[in-house]
Amino acid sequence: MNPRNIFERLAVFSGVGVLNTLIHTLFVVSLVEIFDIGSVVSNGVAFVVANLFSYWANGRWSFRARPSVQQYGRFLIVSFLGLVITLLASGFASWVGWHYAFGMALVFVFLPILSFSLHFLWTFKV
């Protein structure tokens, strides 16, 4: 595959990630502030909504793939792996005495590249 095409897909993937983060945040804030639902439940609902959006948008725009149940299963595995990496990075930052923002920075730098690579090579098999 043409490297330019990969970078274009990565740019679209990044844009979907930003939009996905906004959707997640909007749902959490709305559920907590308007409907007085606890933050844990609100984040759970927001994760489901944002994950479904992310699967649809990345399948359609980033990887141009037809949706399937098996493919969504792989997408979920990569999503949960991302959660584990996020927890490990924040735990590591805390363990070594860093400010929590350093753990977040680790996630912001490495997780998008890892997620894109796994989706490219496994989830959507481009």
Side-chain angles (χ1 to χ4, degrees), residues 21-37:
T21 301
L22 292 173
I23 289 169
H24 184 104
T25 303
L26 178 66
F27 266 82
V28 170
V29 171
S30 297
L31 291 172
V32 169
E33 297 296 331
I34 297 170
F35 298 102
D36 198 29
I37 296 172

Side-chain angles (χ1 to χ4, degrees), residues 77-90:
I77 290 169
V78 173
S79 296
F80 286 128
L81 177 62
L83 173 61
V84 169
I85 289 169
T86 300
L87 296 174
L88 289 173
S90 63

